[in-house]
Amino acid sequence: MQAIILAAGMGRRLGELTQNNTKCMLEVNGVRLIDRYLRQLSKYSLDRIVIVVGYEGQKLIDYIHANYPDKNIEFVNNPIYDKTNNIYSLALAKDYLCADDTILMESDLIVEDGIIDKLVNHTDKDLALVAKYEQWMDGTMVRIDDNRRILQFIPKAGFRYEEADDYYKTVNIYKFSREFSSKQYIPFLEAYCKVMGNNEYYEQVLSVLTLLQNTTLRALPIGNEKWYEIDDVQDLDIASTLFSEDKNRFQLYHKRYGGFWRFPKLLDFCYLVNPFFPNKRMRDEIRNNFDTLLESYPSGMGVNSLLAGKYFGIKQDYVVVGNGAAELIKVVMEEHTNGRVGVIFPTFDEYPNRLKQEQIVQFIPTDSNFGYTADELMEYYNDKQLSLLMLVNPDNPSGHFMPKADVLRLAAWCDKKDIKLLVDESFVDFTEEYEKNSLLHNDILASNRNLMVMKSISKSYGVPGLRLGVFASSDTELIQKIKKEVSIWNINSFGEFYMQIYGKYENDYRKACRKFCEVREKFYEDLKQIDFLRVIPSQANYFLCEVTSKYTSAELCELLIEKDIIISNCGKKKHMNGRNLVRLAVRDEADNARLVEVLKSLA
């Protein structure tokens, strides 16, 4: 058996990274693609490795000769690599193909070792490795039947998104027997090139063979094995994360701050959303209006304040809409850059990060579960001369919840002390009897002029991609000032439309919140069975857990990322005093069960 690696392409989409080298000389986490390939292939008793070179081919040849002098590596040159495509590169190696069984590979891939093992060790002599379609994949797709027969090759132009669930992507690694190459593939390749020319793809020949039902080639799905095709800098970034070393992988994922949809196999227990809303009908309504919303400008702040007021049942003059709560947090905290600000730690770091360190007056609960009362806050801050007191309720990451009556007592105390009280109630809809717990009511806002309420729509409403948040206060001068601080079109048409239609689905939202509370309770009971976790009760959509034995919080995060599960390591947050703490989001029943299963396997 031999291997043929196609490495003639220019890799234009990688820009300066391939300005002076072919793509297989690209480094992923410090290892060149060609070095990774040659290491993987060294496991097998190959008679030779053939590399088809073209763009910057001599540099690759010199590198191979210098670093692999003892390997039997031969080269085929494609002198017109800039005018042809890979069908011509493979045609140049046709004599090699006909001479031996072949592993055929493209040089811009990074794959796990197990993928090549599957190919080499499989009893079928002629195989195409395929992967179930995921949204990041591009290029040639296939349909296969239950016997792994390839029914159809689907070129990029023939791709239909409504049929994507039936597709498999070709991984661009094949095993061809000498008989298949000499009697089926090469004769058709020569005929195809004569008719269609050399600026084509070698998989088009396989498509013709499949259409004529004249092939022994079968598909071999790779399952959950990792692979990635690197065509541009974004691909390189994702591949570097997927194939990072164990000790770095968690940090590489975490520093992305989201965008985990690029990793379809990753189970996200880090970011916090409602798993039961929006429902299908609401999603369908948004999909049905996709083209109109995509092609239309959103409204300005006046309309969006009206929509937000309708959404929460408060006056339009009391509310400003933000591109997520994060935009509003920045603006509101910048309004308080001079006075002393009371901050309860641990907390959502976006708030204290917007302040100067000397402004912050810390309150650190002594309770082992990070709980505290309104009375404790009033006693502690009584002589601290605050201009602003911040309360995240339920708190993040502890899930501690202060009852509404106590928050209103605290608001009255702040009013007497001339202290602004900012309450972030982004998670309040996850609390028991949540409909009674919100402060977003006209009478509450009107009678507490020092009270300010922040609320993310991403969290409990399950739409983080829309980037919606609101800030409310009866201080209309402040509201007007904040409206001037944000851009005229600070939310997009999709977010605006979502707020417009929400009222039709309000009953469904209530049902989703009730279901969530039931699922959270079950998850809580299951997590308590994990020997090395102490689970802190929560009224939010997450649990703060102390890792009491066996692992540090960092080690647990690293072990879980190896299982394609990401959680939040809270041990590094301020004022955790070195405690090993992790935060686990509450997802749906199936995902929660998956996490519990993995945690039990680590016990």
Side-chain angles (χ1 to χ4, degrees), residues 173-322:
I173 299 178
Y174 295 87
K175 182 170 71 172
F176 291 170
S177 67
R178 180 173 52 187
E179 292 77 16
F180 172 78
S181 295
S182 59
K183 295 179 181 178
Q184 296 183 52
Y185 187 76
I186 293 302
F188 274 89
L189 181 144
E190 292 176 330
Y192 193 95
C193 288
K194 183 176 288 188
V195 174
M196 302 301 295
N198 295 321
N199 197 21
E200 302 286 330
Y201 296 95
Y202 67 82
E203 286 181 322
Q204 291 166 291
V205 179
L206 298 174
S207 178
V208 172
L209 288 170
T210 299
L211 186 65
L212 298 174
Q213 298 182 339
N214 185 33
T215 178
T216 56
L217 187 70
R218 291 289 185 270
L220 180 61
I222 62 171
N224 291 322
E225 300 276 4
K226 288 187 294 189
W227 72 288
Y228 218 83
E229 184 175 7
I230 303 174
D231 286 326
D232 55 35
V233 292
Q234 177 70 38
D235 293 336
L236 177 59
D237 174 68
I238 293 171
S240 297
T241 301
L242 279 173
F243 288 87
S244 59
E245 295 297 324
D246 294 350
K247 61 182 179 181
N248 298 324
R249 191 166 300 160
F250 175 79
Q251 289 303 324
L252 284 172
Y253 276 108
H254 202 268
K255 74 178 185 179
R256 305 177 79 90
Y257 299 104
F260 292 155
W261 47 267
R262 293 186 177 89
F263 306 92
K265 293 183 175 66
L266 187 67
L267 198 50
D268 179 11
F269 278 87
C270 185
Y271 286 92
L272 311 168
V273 295
N274 190 336
F276 304 116
F277 193 81
N279 61 6
K280 182 179 182 301
R281 185 170 179 82
M282 189 180 199
R283 294 169 189 262
D284 288 344
E285 183 169 358
I286 295 173
R287 287 191 194 99
N288 190 57
N289 288 274
F290 180 90
D291 290 346
T292 299
L293 298 172
L294 182 68
E295 297 164 0
S296 303
Y297 271 91
S299 303
M301 181 59 73
V303 171
N304 289 322
S305 293
L306 179 67
L307 289 172
K310 183 184 77 164
Y311 194 115
F312 292 105
I314 57 177
K315 293 180 181 181
Q316 177 183 355
D317 293 342
Y318 284 4
V319 64
V320 55
V321 181

Side-chain angles (χ1 to χ4, degrees), residues 77-97:
N77 183 48
N78 177 355
I80 52 174
Y81 59 83
D82 55 340
K83 300 180 180 66
T84 59
N85 222 311
N86 63 17
I87 196 170
Y88 185 67
S89 289
L90 189 56
L92 292 173
K94 65 183 180 181
D95 291 342
Y96 285 107
L97 267 178

Side-chain angles (χ1 to χ4, degrees), residues 372-391:
Y372 49 86
T373 67
D375 291 324
E376 287 177 305
L377 295 181
M378 290 186 283
E379 180 182 356
Y380 180 78
Y381 284 116
N382 187 53
D383 59 353
K384 300 295 192 293
Q385 297 180 331
L386 301 182
S387 64
L388 171 68
L389 176 60
M390 268 188 47
L391 176 69

Side-chain angles (χ1 to χ4, degrees), residues 12-180:
R12 289 188 180 96
R13 283 185 284 172
L14 281 156
E16 63 182 18
L17 294 176
T18 50
Q19 189 172 358
N20 299 306
N21 258 322
T22 187
K23 274 204 286 188
C24 67
M25 292 286 278
L26 197 68
E27 290 187 2
V28 179
N29 299 323
V31 179
R32 297 184 190 274
L33 290 174
I34 189 62
D35 291 329
R36 186 182 179 94
Y37 258 169
L38 294 177
R39 176 188 61 77
Q40 290 172 322
L41 292 172
S42 68
K43 294 171 55 179
Y44 312 106
S45 299
L46 300 179
D47 294 326
R48 65 185 159 214
I49 296 172
V50 179
I51 303 178
V52 183
V53 300
Y55 172 68
E56 297 290 0
Q58 191 57 51
K59 286 183 180 178
L60 178 58
I61 293 170
D62 292 344
Y63 179 82
I64 297 293
H65 283 157
N67 289 276
Y68 301 95
D70 299 329
K71 283 190 177 295
N72 184 14
I73 300 176
E74 301 180 33
F75 299 91
V76 173
N77 183 48
N78 177 355
I80 52 174
Y81 59 83
D82 55 340
K83 300 180 180 66
T84 59
N85 222 311
N86 63 17
I87 196 170
Y88 185 67
S89 289
L90 189 56
L92 292 173
K94 65 183 180 181
D95 291 342
Y96 285 107
L97 267 178
C98 293
D100 201 352
D101 298 340
T102 301
I103 301 169
L104 175 62
M105 319 170 83
E106 295 186 21
S107 67
D108 57 356
L109 302 172
I110 182 168
V111 301
E112 285 189 305
D113 296 357
I115 286 180
I116 301 177
D117 284 340
K118 282 185 176 182
L119 183 82
V120 172
N121 296 326
H122 200 278
T123 55
D124 286 356
K125 293 183 177 181
D126 304 305
L127 285 171
L129 289 180
V130 298
K132 198 78 175 81
Y133 172 75
E134 295 175 352
Q135 54 81 21
W136 63 268
M137 297 174 181
D138 193 22
T140 303
M141 305 289 163
V142 296
R143 296 180 192 270
I144 66 176
D145 66 13
D146 293 339
N147 294 316
R148 295 185 292 103
R149 289 181 299 183
I150 300 174
L151 304 175
Q152 180 187 10
F153 275 79
I154 301 156
K156 185 184 295 189
F159 186 98
R160 296 174 63 86
Y161 282 97
E162 62 270 27
E163 298 174 359
D165 287 346
D166 297 328
Y167 291 165
Y168 286 79
K169 170 73 179 76
T170 53
V171 177
N172 301 332
I173 299 178
Y174 295 87
K175 182 170 71 172
F176 291 170
S177 67
R178 180 173 52 187
E179 292 77 16
F180 172 78

